[in-house]
Amino acid sequence: MARKTTEKPRRTSPGAAAPPPAPLPAAEGGIRPWHLLLMATALAIAVGVFATRGTSPVNAVAVAVAIGSVAWVAAAVARTVAPLVAPELSEQTEMVGGRTRAALEREKLLVLRSIKEVEFDRAMGKISDADFSEMEGRLRARAAGLLRQLDADRSGYRALIERELSTRVGRVPHAGPPAAGGAVAPAVPSGTCAACGVANEADARFCKSCGARIEAA
Amino acid sequence: MASLGSFLLMATLVVSAYAIAASVAGARRGSRRLVESGVGAFYLAAALMTAASAIIVHAFVTNDYSIKYVQHYSDLAQPLFYKITSYWGGLDGSIMFWVFLLAVFGSLAVYVNRDRHRELIPYVVAIISAVQLFFLFMMVVHKNPFETFLVQAPIDGRGLNPLLQNIYMVVHPPSLYIGFVGMTIPYAFGMAALITGHLDDSWLRAVRRWTMVSWLFLSLGLTLGMIWAYEELGWGGYWGWDPVENAGLLPWFTASAFLHSVIVQERRGMLKVWNVSLVIITFFLTIFGTFMTRSGIVQSVHAFGEDRTLTWMFTVFMAAILLFSFGWVIRRLPLLKPRYDLDSWVSREAAFVANNWILLISAMLVLFGTMFPTLSEALTGNRLTVGPPFFNRWMAPIGLILLLLTGVAPLLAWRRSTLANLRDQFLWPVLVMAAVAVAVAGLGVRVWSAGICFALCGFVATTIMQEFVRGARVRRDATGTDLLTAGIGLVMRERRRFGGYVVHLGIVLMFFGFAGEAFKADQQMLLKLGEEATVRHYTVRNDGVKTSEDAQKQMVTGHLAVSEDGRSLGTMYPARWFYRKHEDQPTTEVAIRRTVAEDLYLVMPAYDIADQSMSLQVVVTPLVNWIWAGFGLLVLGTGLALLPERAFAFALSRAPAEASLT
């Protein structure tokens, strides 16, 4: 919520603060339409408040609120209409084995956390050793299965993220470091192991398959 | 101004309808443009409602009595602050305030989740808009707060009900509304998950915080209502099982149940149908509660009055909610299969299930008791009422079972606990419970419910302390820090769990306070000038009745010299205030002397200025302040659970292995 403005809480509300969804042509220097709107509103409020001087402060607040809500309405109208005239965006995430990758990731986290919890519960003396080894074994097997399933996934999820990033940040997608001599190298996703070629997380320091060190991009 | 306000309401109606159409069509055709436009329209509705709210507040502040609503709930002499809060003082305005809050809250929720849960957003927008649409429709066709006088506008207003002119009543309705309105958001996400079929846990994560915040506001609203009843209504109690109080309590029960069962789904993938149903029921109960207080079908001290049209509108809407929601639940049943089954009945998930059932039964009982007069009238033609004794008889044991479960559940492990574990875990709590029980019996307490309550309070408090100390020890051994750092690290790593424990401690304190009700003294007496009376160890003496006045009201104040066991405690001033324009409804101003152990509570129901005599009600309410203190802990605990991830990172840095698994 805390954007660059702090004057009037009303105007930092979602409608006004939401950046336009469609990549509107950004003016030079990175000034976006909503920056202008914000400045115009601040100016209008300043003028309005100045005009009410000499009367009770209630009037000044009323004027400020009125102008603020008008600006918000204007921003929201723009937010409603702009997408209708913008080019169509479409993207679909593919499913892995009938479930989205996000769901698999989530389940992985859940299982890993369950393992920690079972360990903690045993340390607290809540479960017996026999139960512990049985539960932990089951959970570990499950985690391993999930990790394999995630690795097997080649649904282009990362490419989708890159594309999304580029539309938001406004830069050309570019993952790997420029190859020596600036030649056009096929984009190798960062985190790919040089030894075995397995795709790791972008910030991984060691390969999850063979354990070899991954050079930082 | 009034016509601009009406126009804005109409515009919001249209915009909300467009938001529904655009987002649903966009989602079904896979068109991002339409969806984005629908989301924009949703924000627009919030902006329009804000503008409309600004107009009505402006009308109150500038004394625009051509608007009927303003004329009815405000007058020239009213302080500025109460003029602003008169916005939600009456029926029409409160509905509008409701829509305003829903629009703003909904926009916030959609804005926060717009990327993380993109697949759900169109339906979330559509569902929240549909709820808005209903209330807007009701306002536009039936209860327009901007309605004006056709001929000549009066010069002065009628003024806000004096009972509502105090700080608790200013904060109480908005916090209750925020609690109510907030429950729409989990419902919208739940339904969106059902409709899209994205029934993994992601919708739960999106709504967890919203539910917690709404629950907190609901608790705040209920507690403020209790304080208001205690300090303003002047009958010596804080909870009278009034239908309107119950209306707030019903969703509180089911929301509490949801907050617990959500954990089971997150950890164990169980109770999916149950969770979706709880969200639906909670939402339904918030609408039902609004319906009860707005339509006048139940009689209450603070219902708004009877209204047939409203009853019909609400009935149709509620039927539609139930059909639509449970229709989708049934349709998606195959996707809602649990991932695991219950391993054993001696496990934490089983305790959670039991807790859920009891909370739901509480809700059903309160609902039954509240609706009984209306139901009996419909069936037999006679209005039979069930009073507080009915509720107290049933709710006391249920509350005690719930308190017991609060202590038992944390001691059980997930999945399954063995006998040896149970012995080890339960040893100390049970010992403390027994010690408290013996001490209470030894002190001569002969009220079984209060005695059991005290013992259980000891049990639960020990459980929580034991969890904390043992957990800190385990963490100290694992990380090699001192016990204090380990304790902070433990709490911060599992903020939700330990925040929950702090909330439980708060509940323990509240129950401790509730048990004090059993030892209450309440006496009515007539005191002539200079006469004395003694209640328990307090003695009060009538030093006269005096009158005074200010711009808004005339005040009649009793002067009472109070002493405790012969030691003087000074003078106390119970009073009656007569607001102009509302002179037939004098307010009772209670005089309260608070201590940790008990309150001395003086009310002056009647007086005679001529001979300076007064009738006096003297109430001694033991332990009542513990309830408010317990609520403070509840807020603290909820805040802890809501804390963002990065706080207190220093205590976490010593445990690298767990860093990623918060």
Side-chain angles (χ1 to χ4, degrees):
Chain A
M1 278 301 288
R3 296 258 159 180
K4 280 173 195 159
T5 53
T6 45
E7 315 96 344
K8 285 280 172 292
R10 283 253 154 87
R11 284 184 302 104
T12 56
S13 49
L24 293 175
E28 65 279 4
I31 292 185
R32 305 270 179 85
W34 66 271
H35 289 157
L36 291 177
L37 178 73
L38 220 55
M39 280 196 294
T41 314
L43 205 68
I45 287 178
V47 171
V49 169
F50 184 74
T52 61
R53 74 194 186 284
T55 61
S56 106
V58 176
N59 288 338
V61 175
V63 166
V65 169
I67 297 175
S69 43
V70 168
W72 183 5
V73 169
V77 168
R79 177 72 174 69
T80 310
V81 175
L84 292 177
V85 295
E88 181 65 273
L89 301 157
S90 97
E91 68 237 346
Q92 294 279 316
T93 50
E94 283 168 43
M95 307 285 253
V96 187
R99 291 149 84 184
T100 61
R101 190 182 167 96
L104 281 176
E105 291 276 5
R106 168 81 193 138
E107 184 151 3
K108 180 182 87 176
L109 208 66
L110 187 85
V111 173
L112 292 180
R113 189 160 156 180
S114 298
I115 294 178
K116 278 243 96 72
E117 245 169 32
V118 173
E119 283 169 355
F120 195 76
D121 272 355
R122 186 182 58 162
M124 296 268 286
K126 284 187 191 168
I127 42 178
S128 63
D129 286 345
D131 279 346
F132 171 74
S133 50
E134 187 261 332
M135 286 179 199
E136 207 211 13
R138 212 167 51 188
L139 285 169
R140 277 185 192 282
R142 193 168 170 71
L146 281 167
L147 285 173
R148 266 197 299 278
Q149 216 175 334
L150 277 166
D151 279 345
D153 162 35
R154 292 269 182 267
S155 61
Y157 204 68
R158 200 160 274 152
L160 182 71
I161 293 172
E162 292 286 351
R163 202 166 67 233
E164 180 82 347
L165 260 179
S166 67
T167 51
R168 285 197 176 256
V169 183
R171 270 191 277 126
V172 190
H174 188 70
V184 193
V188 179
S190 60
T192 306
C193 178
C196 64
V198 163
N200 291 290
E201 308 304 316
D203 56 349
R205 286 190 290 171
F206 296 95
C207 175
K208 63 188 168 193
S209 172
C210 65
R213 180 178 284 277
I214 295 171
E215 294 307 321
Chain B
M1 278 310 237
S3 42
L4 178 61
S6 298
F7 168 75
L8 283 177
L9 289 186
M10 221 92 85
T12 319
L13 184 86
V14 174
V15 166
S16 296
Y18 171 74
I20 301 175
S23 51
V24 170
R28 296 199 61 111
R29 294 156 150 232
S31 159
R32 270 289 289 288
R33 292 198 312 192
L34 272 178
V35 170
E36 286 297 338
S37 177
V39 172
F42 188 59
Y43 294 152
L44 181 58
L48 289 171
M49 279 315 290
T50 311
S53 303
I55 287 174
I56 202 153
V57 170
H58 182 260
F60 271 111
V61 171
T62 56
N63 306 312
D64 182 356
Y65 297 125
S66 62
I67 298 176
K68 277 186 186 168
Y69 183 71
V70 176
Q71 197 268 340
H72 202 287
Y73 292 101
S74 169
D75 61 14
L76 290 168
Q78 211 157 294
L80 175 68
F81 187 58
Y82 292 126
K83 279 185 184 164
I84 296 173
T85 58
S86 296
Y87 176 13
W88 54 81
L91 173 58
D92 314 3
S94 71
I95 294 174
M96 181 170 153
F97 186 58
W98 172 291
V99 178
F100 165 65
L101 284 178
L102 182 59
V104 171
F105 247 61
S107 299
L108 216 61
V110 167
Y111 182 69
V112 169
N113 288 300
R114 68 195 183 285
D115 289 334
R116 243 175 304 167
H117 304 286
R118 187 181 287 162
E119 67 284 356
L120 302 180
I121 289 297
Y123 292 102
V124 171
V125 166
I127 283 163
I128 299 180
S129 296
V131 177
Q132 278 175 14
L133 201 65
F134 167 71
F135 282 104
L136 283 165
F137 176 73
M138 201 161 74
M139 266 193 288
V140 169
V141 304
H142 185 54
K143 285 277 165 198
N144 188 352
F146 290 105
E147 205 177 335
T148 52
F149 286 101
L150 288 176
V151 271
Q152 202 179 2
I155 305 159
D156 196 2
R158 277 196 257 172
L160 186 66
N161 184 338
L163 274 178
L164 304 181
Q165 293 199 30
N166 69 72
I167 187 69
Y168 301 114
M169 259 324 184
V170 168
V171 191
H172 164 73
S175 62
L176 212 52
Y177 288 165
I178 292 178
F180 270 32
V181 163
M183 293 303 174
T184 312
I185 287 158
Y187 171 73
F189 273 90
M191 288 314 294
L194 279 176
I195 294 170
T196 55
H198 282 88
L199 281 165
D200 49 70
D201 304 342
S202 74
W203 74 272
L204 287 180
R205 267 179 304 148
V207 303
R208 210 170 55 196
R209 276 165 189 267
W210 290 99
T211 317
M212 250 191 262
V213 170
S214 314
W215 181 84
L216 181 63
F217 275 104
L218 212 50
S219 314
L220 177 71
L222 290 173
T223 311
L224 285 173
M226 275 154 81
I227 297 179
W228 176 74
Y230 185 64
E231 297 195 350
E232 291 297 321
L233 292 183
W235 52 277
Y238 37 81
W239 192 268
W241 298 107
D242 181 84
V244 176
E245 290 172 317
N246 294 347
L249 192 61
L250 290 172
W252 188 88
F253 278 133
T254 48
S256 307
F258 176 67
L259 282 176
H260 286 93
S261 62
V262 122
I263 305 174
V264 181
Q265 177 167 352
E266 275 184 15
R267 295 293 160 87
R268 305 276 291 123
M270 297 162 40
L271 303 184
K272 286 181 179 176
V273 181
W274 181 252
N275 276 325
V276 176
S277 308
L278 272 181
V279 165
I280 295 170
I281 292 171
T282 305
F283 171 70
F284 175 77
L285 287 176
T286 63
I287 299 293
F288 187 75
T290 319
F291 163 64
M292 273 202 315
T293 50
R294 300 299 188 283
S295 66
I297 61 155
V298 290
Q299 283 167 357
S300 150
V301 247
H302 37 345
F304 285 100
E306 196 163 347
D307 190 330
R308 287 247 161 232
T309 324
L310 216 61
T311 309
W312 275 111
M313 286 179 159
F314 265 109
T315 309
V316 171
F317 183 53
M318 289 190 300
I321 292 175
L322 287 182
L323 269 177
F324 172 75
S325 313
F326 285 107
W328 273 104
V329 172
I330 291 165
R331 180 141 180 230
R332 293 291 183 214
L333 269 183
L335 288 175
L336 288 167
K337 279 203 200 95
R339 265 206 301 273
Y340 304 95
D341 290 323
L342 198 60
D343 279 350
S344 149
W345 277 100
V346 192
S347 64
R348 199 177 294 170
E349 49 266 45
F352 273 124
V353 171
N355 137 306
N356 264 252
W357 274 111
I358 289 171
L359 282 169
L360 201 67
I361 289 170
S362 312
M364 290 307 138
L365 252 177
V366 174
L367 184 63
F368 173 74
T370 314
M371 293 307 295
F372 187 73
T374 312
L375 290 178
S376 66
E377 192 176 21
L379 291 178
T380 66
N382 295 326
R383 201 175 183 91
L384 306 170
T385 52
V386 291
F390 164 83
F391 289 105
N392 289 336
R393 186 178 328 125
W394 285 97
M395 292 310 284
I398 288 179
L400 290 177
I401 296 172
L402 211 54
L403 189 61
L404 176 71
L405 277 175
T406 311
V408 170
L411 297 179
L412 301 175
W414 290 106
R415 297 165 198 92
R416 143 174 20 123
S417 297
T418 59
L419 206 57
N421 303 134
L422 292 182
R423 208 177 304 132
D424 175 49
Q425 291 291 324
F426 277 87
L427 182 64
W428 278 107
V430 169
L431 279 181
V432 170
M433 180 167 74
V436 172
V438 169
V440 165
L443 284 171
V445 174
R446 289 290 171 269
V447 187
W448 66 270
S449 57
I452 293 176
C453 185
F454 289 140
L456 285 176
C457 285
F459 173 72
V460 180
T462 318
T463 301
I464 296 168
M465 292 315 288
Q466 174 181 302
E467 275 293 293
F468 181 72
V469 171
R470 286 192 179 179
R473 273 202 212 126
V474 169
R475 192 174 161 87
R476 179 194 57 192
D477 297 343
T479 58
T481 52
D482 57 298
L483 197 63
L484 186 68
T485 316
I488 298 175
L490 179 77
V491 172
M492 287 305 143
R493 190 171 71 95
E494 302 224 21
R495 274 183 300 270
R496 259 211 304 158
R497 180 195 289 198
F498 284 94
Y501 286 162
V502 174
V503 172
H504 283 178
L505 265 186
I507 300 278
V508 166
L509 289 193
M510 288 177 131
F511 267 92
F512 189 66
F514 293 149
E517 185 77 6
F519 310 102
K520 190 165 150 180
D522 190 342
Q523 282 189 26
Q524 295 257 12
M525 59 198 68
L526 184 72
L527 286 186
K528 296 213 171 63
L529 185 63
E531 217 174 358
E532 279 190 348
T534 303
V535 176
R536 294 267 169 91
H537 43 271
Y538 294 104
T539 307
V540 290
R541 189 186 65 227
N542 179 359
D543 280 357
V545 182
K546 302 195 170 69
T547 57
S548 54
E549 60 186 300
D550 67 11
Q552 265 192 304
K553 57 190 180 283
Q554 189 185 28
M555 296 170 277
V556 180
T557 313
H559 290 237
L560 290 156
V562 179
S563 59
E564 182 180 9
D565 298 329
R567 191 167 48 85
S568 171
L569 298 174
T571 311
M572 287 171 69
Y573 307 97
R576 304 278 280 172
W577 288 356
F578 296 81
Y579 281 79
R580 299 185 213 306
K581 296 173 197 151
H582 295 278
E583 262 141 15
D584 50 328
Q585 290 180 287
T587 65
T588 309
E589 301 299 317
V590 185
I592 304 175
R593 182 179 182 276
R594 297 165 199 280
T595 59
V596 176
E598 62 193 12
D599 277 6
L600 174 61
Y601 183 102
L602 301 180
V603 189
M604 183 179 68
Y607 55 88
D608 189 340
I609 306 251
D611 66 353
Q612 297 275 297
S613 68
M614 63 172 92
S615 75
L616 187 71
Q617 185 184 8
V618 181
V619 187
V620 180
T621 48
L623 303 179
V624 69
N625 288 314
W626 291 78
I627 301 175
W628 321 138
F631 175 71
L633 266 187
L634 185 146
V635 173
L636 197 76
T638 317
L640 190 65
L642 285 169
L643 221 57
E645 299 285 316
R646 298 239 163 249
F648 293 91
F650 71 93
L652 294 174
S653 59
R654 301 294 275 277
E658 290 148 352
S660 62
L661 297 174
T662 318

PDB file of all heavy atoms in Angstrom, chain B residues 146-164:
ATOM      1  N   PHE B 146     -30.165   8.544   0.713  1.00  0.00           N
ATOM      2  CA  PHE B 146     -30.148   9.908   0.191  1.00  0.00           C
ATOM      3  C   PHE B 146     -31.548  10.457  -0.076  1.00  0.00           C
ATOM      4  O   PHE B 146     -31.712  11.486  -0.714  1.00  0.00           O
ATOM      5  CB  PHE B 146     -29.320   9.976  -1.096  1.00  0.00           C
ATOM      6  CG  PHE B 146     -27.856   9.801  -0.860  1.00  0.00           C
ATOM      7  CD1 PHE B 146     -27.227   8.618  -1.191  1.00  0.00           C
ATOM      8  CD2 PHE B 146     -27.105  10.813  -0.287  1.00  0.00           C
ATOM      9  CE1 PHE B 146     -25.870   8.437  -0.957  1.00  0.00           C
ATOM     10  CE2 PHE B 146     -25.752  10.650  -0.052  1.00  0.00           C
ATOM     11  CZ  PHE B 146     -25.127   9.463  -0.387  1.00  0.00           C
ATOM     12  N   GLU B 147     -32.559   9.732   0.386  1.00  0.00           N
ATOM     13  CA  GLU B 147     -33.919  10.186   0.149  1.00  0.00           C
ATOM     14  C   GLU B 147     -34.142  11.553   0.802  1.00  0.00           C
ATOM     15  O   GLU B 147     -33.716  11.790   1.939  1.00  0.00           O
ATOM     16  CB  GLU B 147     -34.879   9.165   0.753  1.00  0.00           C
ATOM     17  CG  GLU B 147     -36.227   9.166   0.095  1.00  0.00           C
ATOM     18  CD  GLU B 147     -37.105   8.073   0.685  1.00  0.00           C
ATOM     19  OE1 GLU B 147     -36.557   7.084   1.208  1.00  0.00           O
ATOM     20  OE2 GLU B 147     -38.319   8.224   0.624  1.00  0.00           O
ATOM     21  N   THR B 148     -34.813  12.455   0.093  1.00  0.00           N
ATOM     22  CA  THR B 148     -35.001  13.812   0.623  1.00  0.00           C
ATOM     23  C   THR B 148     -36.454  14.065   0.967  1.00  0.00           C
ATOM     24  O   THR B 148     -37.342  13.321   0.548  1.00  0.00           O
ATOM     25  CB  THR B 148     -34.574  14.861  -0.411  1.00  0.00           C
ATOM     26  OG1 THR B 148     -35.247  14.564  -1.629  1.00  0.00           O
ATOM     27  CG2 THR B 148     -33.089  14.855  -0.629  1.00  0.00           C
ATOM     28  N   PHE B 149     -36.699  15.132   1.738  1.00  0.00           N
ATOM     29  CA  PHE B 149     -38.067  15.548   2.025  1.00  0.00           C
ATOM     30  C   PHE B 149     -38.644  16.177   0.768  1.00  0.00           C
ATOM     31  O   PHE B 149     -37.971  16.932   0.069  1.00  0.00           O
ATOM     32  CB  PHE B 149     -38.080  16.565   3.162  1.00  0.00           C
ATOM     33  CG  PHE B 149     -37.822  15.947   4.489  1.00  0.00           C
ATOM     34  CD1 PHE B 149     -36.572  16.021   5.073  1.00  0.00           C
ATOM     35  CD2 PHE B 149     -38.833  15.257   5.151  1.00  0.00           C
ATOM     36  CE1 PHE B 149     -36.325  15.442   6.304  1.00  0.00           C
ATOM     37  CE2 PHE B 149     -38.586  14.670   6.375  1.00  0.00           C
ATOM     38  CZ  PHE B 149     -37.342  14.759   6.952  1.00  0.00           C
ATOM     39  N   LEU B 150     -39.902  15.836   0.490  1.00  0.00           N
ATOM     40  CA  LEU B 150     -40.482  16.318  -0.764  1.00  0.00           C
ATOM     41  C   LEU B 150     -40.822  17.803  -0.677  1.00  0.00           C
ATOM     42  O   LEU B 150     -40.611  18.553  -1.602  1.00  0.00           O
ATOM     43  CB  LEU B 150     -41.735  15.511  -1.121  1.00  0.00           C
ATOM     44  CG  LEU B 150     -41.439  14.101  -1.590  1.00  0.00           C
ATOM     45  CD1 LEU B 150     -42.732  13.343  -1.834  1.00  0.00           C
ATOM     46  CD2 LEU B 150     -40.590  14.117  -2.864  1.00  0.00           C
ATOM     47  N   VAL B 151     -41.383  18.205   0.462  1.00  0.00           N
ATOM     48  CA  VAL B 151     -41.737  19.625   0.567  1.00  0.00           C
ATOM     49  C   VAL B 151     -40.649  20.391   1.313  1.00  0.00           C
ATOM     50  O   VAL B 151     -39.522  20.505   0.850  1.00  0.00           O
ATOM     51  CB  VAL B 151     -43.129  19.818   1.217  1.00  0.00           C
ATOM     52  CG1 VAL B 151     -44.175  19.798   0.140  1.00  0.00           C
ATOM     53  CG2 VAL B 151     -43.397  18.758   2.250  1.00  0.00           C
ATOM     54  N   GLN B 152     -40.976  20.848   2.497  1.00  0.00           N
ATOM     55  CA  GLN B 152     -40.009  21.708   3.166  1.00  0.00           C
ATOM     56  C   GLN B 152     -39.125  20.903   4.113  1.00  0.00           C
ATOM     57  O   GLN B 152     -39.589  20.037   4.838  1.00  0.00           O
ATOM     58  CB  GLN B 152     -40.762  22.785   3.937  1.00  0.00           C
ATOM     59  CG  GLN B 152     -39.916  23.992   4.220  1.00  0.00           C
ATOM     60  CD  GLN B 152     -40.722  25.034   4.958  1.00  0.00           C
ATOM     61  OE1 GLN B 152     -41.895  24.833   5.285  1.00  0.00           O
ATOM     62  NE2 GLN B 152     -40.109  26.161   5.234  1.00  0.00           N
ATOM     63  N   ALA B 153     -37.842  21.215   4.091  1.00  0.00           N
ATOM     64  CA  ALA B 153     -36.921  20.500   4.970  1.00  0.00           C
ATOM     65  C   ALA B 153     -36.968  21.097   6.370  1.00  0.00           C
ATOM     66  O   ALA B 153     -37.071  22.302   6.516  1.00  0.00           O
ATOM     67  CB  ALA B 153     -35.505  20.615   4.424  1.00  0.00           C
ATOM     68  N   PRO B 154     -36.931  20.252   7.406  1.00  0.00           N
ATOM     69  CA  PRO B 154     -36.935  20.770   8.780  1.00  0.00           C
ATOM     70  C   PRO B 154     -35.653  21.566   9.058  1.00  0.00           C
ATOM     71  O   PRO B 154     -34.640  21.392   8.385  1.00  0.00           O
ATOM     72  CB  PRO B 154     -36.975  19.508   9.645  1.00  0.00           C
ATOM     73  CG  PRO B 154     -37.268  18.384   8.720  1.00  0.00           C
ATOM     74  CD  PRO B 154     -36.845  18.797   7.372  1.00  0.00           C
ATOM     75  N   ILE B 155     -35.732  22.414  10.072  1.00  0.00           N
ATOM     76  CA  ILE B 155     -34.569  23.263  10.380  1.00  0.00           C
ATOM     77  C   ILE B 155     -33.557  22.499  11.228  1.00  0.00           C
ATOM     78  O   ILE B 155     -32.363  22.703  11.121  1.00  0.00           O
ATOM     79  CB  ILE B 155     -35.028  24.535  11.130  1.00  0.00           C
ATOM     80  CG1 ILE B 155     -36.088  25.245  10.297  1.00  0.00           C
ATOM     81  CG2 ILE B 155     -33.844  25.470  11.386  1.00  0.00           C
ATOM     82  CD1 ILE B 155     -36.949  26.164  11.085  1.00  0.00           C
ATOM     83  N   ASP B 156     -34.068  21.620  12.088  1.00  0.00           N
ATOM     84  CA  ASP B 156     -33.147  20.893  12.949  1.00  0.00           C
ATOM     85  C   ASP B 156     -33.449  19.398  12.859  1.00  0.00           C
ATOM     86  O   ASP B 156     -34.545  18.988  12.491  1.00  0.00           O
ATOM     87  CB  ASP B 156     -33.278  21.377  14.396  1.00  0.00           C
ATOM     88  CG  ASP B 156     -32.092  20.932  15.237  1.00  0.00           C
ATOM     89  OD1 ASP B 156     -31.174  20.295  14.674  1.00  0.00           O
ATOM     90  OD2 ASP B 156     -32.083  21.220  16.445  1.00  0.00           O
ATOM     91  N   GLY B 157     -32.434  18.589  13.208  1.00  0.00           N
ATOM     92  CA  GLY B 157     -32.608  17.152  13.150  1.00  0.00           C
ATOM     93  C   GLY B 157     -33.162  16.594  14.438  1.00  0.00           C
ATOM     94  O   GLY B 157     -33.306  17.304  15.435  1.00  0.00           O
ATOM     95  N   ARG B 158     -33.457  15.287  14.408  1.00  0.00           N
ATOM     96  CA  ARG B 158     -34.016  14.656  15.594  1.00  0.00           C
ATOM     97  C   ARG B 158     -32.939  14.187  16.568  1.00  0.00           C
ATOM     98  O   ARG B 158     -33.194  13.922  17.723  1.00  0.00           O
ATOM     99  CB  ARG B 158     -34.874  13.463  15.180  1.00  0.00           C
ATOM    100  CG  ARG B 158     -36.261  13.894  14.789  1.00  0.00           C
ATOM    101  CD  ARG B 158     -37.182  12.729  14.771  1.00  0.00           C
ATOM    102  NE  ARG B 158     -37.438  12.288  13.404  1.00  0.00           N
ATOM    103  CZ  ARG B 158     -38.101  11.186  13.114  1.00  0.00           C
ATOM    104  NH1 ARG B 158     -38.518  10.398  14.068  1.00  0.00           N
ATOM    105  NH2 ARG B 158     -38.320  10.855  11.863  1.00  0.00           N
ATOM    106  N   GLY B 159     -31.726  14.012  16.067  1.00  0.00           N
ATOM    107  CA  GLY B 159     -30.621  13.642  16.957  1.00  0.00           C
ATOM    108  C   GLY B 159     -30.427  12.144  17.059  1.00  0.00           C
ATOM    109  O   GLY B 159     -31.372  11.361  17.004  1.00  0.00           O
ATOM    110  N   LEU B 160     -29.186  11.756  17.216  1.00  0.00           N
ATOM    111  CA  LEU B 160     -28.834  10.345  17.367  1.00  0.00           C
ATOM    112  C   LEU B 160     -29.324   9.858  18.718  1.00  0.00           C
ATOM    113  O   LEU B 160     -29.313  10.592  19.693  1.00  0.00           O
ATOM    114  CB  LEU B 160     -27.309  10.208  17.267  1.00  0.00           C
ATOM    115  CG  LEU B 160     -26.695   8.823  17.256  1.00  0.00           C
ATOM    116  CD1 LEU B 160     -27.098   8.084  15.995  1.00  0.00           C
ATOM    117  CD2 LEU B 160     -25.177   8.923  17.309  1.00  0.00           C
ATOM    118  N   ASN B 161     -29.769   8.617  18.751  1.00  0.00           N
ATOM    119  CA  ASN B 161     -30.170   7.994  20.004  1.00  0.00           C
ATOM    120  C   ASN B 161     -29.059   8.183  21.052  1.00  0.00           C
ATOM    121  O   ASN B 161     -27.918   7.843  20.820  1.00  0.00           O
ATOM    122  CB  ASN B 161     -30.388   6.502  19.733  1.00  0.00           C
ATOM    123  CG  ASN B 161     -30.912   5.776  20.949  1.00  0.00           C
ATOM    124  OD1 ASN B 161     -30.753   6.230  22.077  1.00  0.00           O
ATOM    125  ND2 ASN B 161     -31.548   4.656  20.706  1.00  0.00           N
ATOM    126  N   PRO B 162     -29.420   8.759  22.223  1.00  0.00           N
ATOM    127  CA  PRO B 162     -28.380   9.069  23.208  1.00  0.00           C
ATOM    128  C   PRO B 162     -27.573   7.841  23.631  1.00  0.00           C
ATOM    129  O   PRO B 162     -26.395   7.954  23.969  1.00  0.00           O
ATOM    130  CB  PRO B 162     -29.157   9.630  24.393  1.00  0.00           C
ATOM    131  CG  PRO B 162     -30.556   9.712  24.012  1.00  0.00           C
ATOM    132  CD  PRO B 162     -30.753   9.225  22.633  1.00  0.00           C
ATOM    133  N   LEU B 163     -28.222   6.679  23.622  1.00  0.00           N
ATOM    134  CA  LEU B 163     -27.498   5.464  24.027  1.00  0.00           C
ATOM    135  C   LEU B 163     -26.302   5.212  23.111  1.00  0.00           C
ATOM    136  O   LEU B 163     -25.333   4.566  23.487  1.00  0.00           O
ATOM    137  CB  LEU B 163     -28.423   4.250  23.943  1.00  0.00           C
ATOM    138  CG  LEU B 163     -29.292   3.963  25.155  1.00  0.00           C
ATOM    139  CD1 LEU B 163     -30.165   2.772  24.861  1.00  0.00           C
ATOM    140  CD2 LEU B 163     -28.442   3.717  26.374  1.00  0.00           C
ATOM    141  N   LEU B 164     -26.411   5.695  21.884  1.00  0.00           N
ATOM    142  CA  LEU B 164     -25.340   5.439  20.918  1.00  0.00           C
ATOM    143  C   LEU B 164     -24.266   6.515  20.978  1.00  0.00           C
ATOM    144  O   LEU B 164     -23.278   6.440  20.267  1.00  0.00           O
ATOM    145  CB  LEU B 164     -25.914   5.375  19.500  1.00  0.00           C
ATOM    146  CG  LEU B 164     -27.033   4.364  19.290  1.00  0.00           C
ATOM    147  CD1 LEU B 164     -27.496   4.382  17.852  1.00  0.00           C
ATOM    148  CD2 LEU B 164     -26.573   2.980  19.670  1.00  0.00           C
TER     149      LEU B 164
END
